Amino acid sequence: MPITNAGRVLIVDDEPDILKACAATLKMNGLRDVVSESDSRRVMEQMDSGRVDLVILDLFMPHVSGMDLLLQLRERFPHVPVVVVSESSELERAVECIKMGAFDYLVKPVENERLMGALRKAFDGQALTDHAHDLDDRLREDGSLDNPGAFAEIVTRSRKMLSLLQYLEVVARSSKPVLITGESGTGKELIARAIYRLCGFSSEMVSINLAGLDDLMFSDTLFGHKRGAFTGAEQPREGLVIRAAGGLLFLDEIGDLGDASQIRLLRLIQENEFYPLGSDTPRKCDARIICASNRDIKGMVAAGRFRNDLYFRLNVHHVVLPPLRERKEDIPLLLDHFIGQAAENLGITPPSYPKELLGLLATYHFPGNIRELQGMVIDAVACRQSKMLSQEPFRRAITRERPQQVLPATPAGDDESRQRMLEGIWGHFPTLFEADEFLIDTALRIAQGNQGIAATMLGLRRQTLNMRLKVRKRRA
């Protein structure tokens, strides 16, 4: 597999024929920026004069030996990996070079595949190191973004989200895949579009939801087909991979892929090539690939339902989106944003809302996340009867969606744990009256005394809660 997006390679050897052969091999395998040096005395001058990202170093040379150069390189350029190439197969010498900081030790004559494998590992390791340093530097800052315009669609002031956006600014510099995971409705496609803008692609972003695609549909949609590849294929078709060339390919719901489709995706990512259906000629893919899923992919790997090798190819850069319940400080911003959008679509002035609405929304866990909040707002704006939004559409949605939890049947040992938990709160096993009082008091505290919000939390009508409070007051 060719090495793409790699940096400058400096080859150091006193034999001109070896320099030419090695340079030709590197260029045939995708490395275009190759510099050769036959005089070991000029190596450090080469290093000082321009950026070098990797050194291939012969050990036995006149003037300055490879061992001496290795020491100087590790001292002055510790971030540049050095691959040592030597005619000596002595184990002690190889061990000594590795201890001195060489990335790898190869014995001449070196097979092309072995050499390119060592360089690929060196570049991959260097990319991860650079990525870690960049990320560490970014996250030490105050949360500011270098490219805020790229995140125009993402409404947030959450520190957790701002750290995630800083991470995106770093990984956008990489060419490796990005895996985005998170619950449904958290905004995975928005994150993919932000990466697309950060990368500055001239070609388009192509998105596809893989849920429900069998292997034939997956292959045909992504890779296309030749005429006659299958029944009904009367005309050739180019797939979405070709359409995304030079841009970004976003594959949503990859957790739904079958085994055969996973193998095809692995080849696309690993080899940067694919076969259209009915063709035995591979085609190249130069699109940046981003995948997303609302499933626990790591858990699927452990259960044998997702390929381990594909997971690790995808998981180079992993973005985990927090659910809305973990970034509730964003609810006011999102509420204003969605009210504005809904009003614009209806051609009306954005309505205001009672301040108690924010308290109501803060008590809800939002299983559908941001998409659920957006749906609530659209319905409330459409049903408004004045310039002020009513809380009732929100209350109805919350009451309808709030799960009525039923404790599952458990062994006797767990029953004892529950009893101890209840006795830890009351000092004894509570009566229904005591439990009722406790729940009402807790809901009122969380709702900061707002009876309407507390009633919604308890699954009661406000009038019912008000009546219970009056009865309790008379008893007191």
Side-chain angles (χ1 to χ4, degrees):
M1 180 178 66
I3 299 177
T4 57
N5 298 313
R8 171 174 292 184
V9 178
L10 172 62
I11 310 171
V12 183
D13 199 300
D14 63 311
E15 298 184 41
D17 291 343
I18 291 180
L19 284 178
K20 290 179 182 178
C22 187
T25 298
L26 268 54
K27 290 178 180 179
M28 284 190 299
N29 283 273
L31 292 168
R32 302 301 177 197
D33 194 356
V34 179
V35 180
S36 300
E37 181 53 69
S38 60
D39 189 338
S40 59
R41 293 171 295 185
R42 294 201 294 260
V43 169
M44 301 313 292
E45 182 181 329
Q46 286 268 23
M47 297 295 293
D48 289 329
S49 63
R51 176 179 172 83
V52 173
D53 299 282
L54 186 144
V55 176
I56 300 175
L57 179 64
D58 182 30
L59 275 193
F60 300 107
M61 295 180 292
H63 309 303
V64 183
S65 73
M67 297 293 281
D68 289 338
L69 277 176
L70 178 59
L71 281 173
Q72 295 178 49
L73 288 168
R74 301 322 297 153
E75 180 179 342
R76 291 185 52 193
F77 303 95
H79 60 288
V80 177
V82 178
V83 175
V84 172
V85 180
S86 172
E87 293 178 351
S88 172
S89 60
E90 296 177 9
L91 179 61
E92 294 81 2
R93 190 177 297 277
V95 170
E96 184 180 2
C97 286
I98 297 299
K99 285 183 177 180
M100 290 168 61
F103 179 83
D104 206 343
Y105 186 98
L106 307 178
V107 178
K108 293 181 180 179
V110 184
E111 294 181 359
N112 291 347
E113 187 174 337
R114 176 77 177 88
L115 174 63
M116 298 313 300
L119 299 192
R120 187 174 292 108
K121 289 179 182 178
F123 278 122
D124 285 347
Q126 187 62 31
L128 290 175
T129 300
D130 291 344
H131 164 70
H133 290 161
D134 287 346
L135 183 59
D136 186 52
D137 291 341
R138 292 287 295 140
L139 296 184
R140 286 176 185 167
E141 298 176 4
D142 58 2
S144 60
L145 299 169
D146 291 336
N147 301 280
F151 306 105
E153 293 182 289
I154 299 171
V155 179
T156 187
R157 64 183 176 198
S158 160
R159 187 67 188 90
K160 182 179 291 188
M161 281 295 295
L162 290 173
S163 294
L164 187 148
L165 301 187
Q166 289 178 323
Y167 176 75
L168 294 181
E169 290 192 320
V170 175
V171 303
R173 307 170 195 169
S174 167
S175 62
K176 300 297 182 181
V178 179
L179 176 62
I180 306 171
T181 58
E183 297 177 9
S184 292
T186 50
K188 293 185 284 294
E189 186 161 357
L190 292 182
I191 294 297
R193 289 206 293 264
I195 296 173
Y196 171 75
R197 286 190 289 270
L198 286 168
C199 291
F201 291 119
S202 57
S203 298
E204 65 181 306
M205 170 178 166
V206 177
S207 303
I208 177 173
N209 190 312
L210 303 178
L213 296 187
D214 60 23
D215 181 53
L216 178 60
M217 293 174 64
F218 169 82
S219 299
D220 191 29
T221 302
L222 260 67
F223 309 138
H225 63 256
K226 290 183 65 178
R227 180 180 178 182
F230 51 86
T231 303
E234 298 178 356
Q235 297 295 330
R237 174 191 176 189
E238 289 194 335
L240 296 183
V241 174
I242 294 298
R243 183 175 157 192
L248 187 145
L249 181 64
F250 176 56
L251 306 177
D252 201 4
E253 304 303 348
I254 58 155
D256 289 17
L257 284 181
D259 292 340
S261 296
Q262 289 182 33
I263 293 173
R264 286 176 170 80
L265 179 58
L266 175 63
R267 180 175 183 83
L268 178 69
I269 293 172
Q270 184 170 285
E271 306 295 339
N272 293 321
E273 66 180 26
F274 64 95
Y275 289 87
L277 290 176
S279 173
D280 56 4
T281 303
R283 298 191 66 174
K284 291 297 179 182
C285 167
D286 64 351
R288 177 83 182 267
I289 296 177
I290 297 181
C291 297
S293 179
N294 60 11
R295 298 194 181 194
D296 177 10
I297 301 296
K298 189 173 183 180
M300 292 178 67
V301 171
R305 292 185 287 115
F306 198 88
R307 292 182 64 92
N308 185 67
D309 48 3
L310 176 57
Y311 171 70
F312 285 110
R313 283 289 180 182
L314 295 175
N315 199 41
V316 177
H317 305 302
H318 190 181
V319 177
V320 182
L321 286 180
L324 183 55
R325 61 183 170 274
E326 293 181 9
R327 43 179 288 210
K328 287 192 173 181
E329 62 269 42
D330 285 340
I331 288 178
L333 294 178
L334 290 166
L335 182 60
D336 289 336
H337 178 69
F338 291 140
I339 288 175
Q341 280 188 341
E344 182 179 356
N345 289 337
L346 292 172
I348 63 173
T349 301
S352 58
Y353 55 85
K355 63 179 182 179
E356 292 82 8
L357 177 58
L358 291 175
L360 172 65
L361 296 176
T363 67
Y364 185 48
H365 64 295
F366 285 100
N369 292 292
I370 298 172
R371 188 182 297 127
E372 182 180 12
L373 174 60
Q374 183 180 23
M376 288 182 182
V377 173
I378 291 172
D379 181 59
V381 173
C383 296
R384 86 212 178 287
Q385 296 181 346
S386 68
K387 294 182 179 180
M388 174 77 72
L389 284 185
S390 169
Q391 294 186 70
E392 281 310 307
F394 295 93
R395 283 204 179 96
R396 285 197 303 270
I398 289 174
T399 302
R400 182 173 62 247
E401 298 297 333
R402 194 181 294 278
Q404 301 298 315
Q405 291 188 337
V406 178
L407 291 175
T410 54
D414 287 343
D415 290 339
E416 293 174 4
S417 297
R418 289 180 185 172
Q419 182 177 344
R420 287 195 298 271
M421 178 186 69
L422 294 172
E423 290 176 351
I425 297 174
W426 282 276
H428 59 274
F429 194 88
T431 64
L432 282 175
F433 175 77
E434 289 171 326
D436 184 82
E437 295 278 290
F438 177 80
L439 286 173
I440 290 175
D441 287 342
T442 301
L444 285 169
R445 282 200 301 273
I446 293 173
Q448 298 181 356
N450 187 297
Q451 293 183 18
I453 295 175
T456 302
M457 294 173 63
L458 294 165
L460 301 174
R461 295 179 61 194
R462 179 171 182 165
Q463 295 87 336
T464 303
L465 175 60
N466 187 262
M467 186 169 55
R468 290 195 182 199
L469 292 172
K470 287 179 179 179
V471 170
R472 186 163 70 173
K473 190 174 180 180
R474 287 199 296 268
R475 285 176 179 168

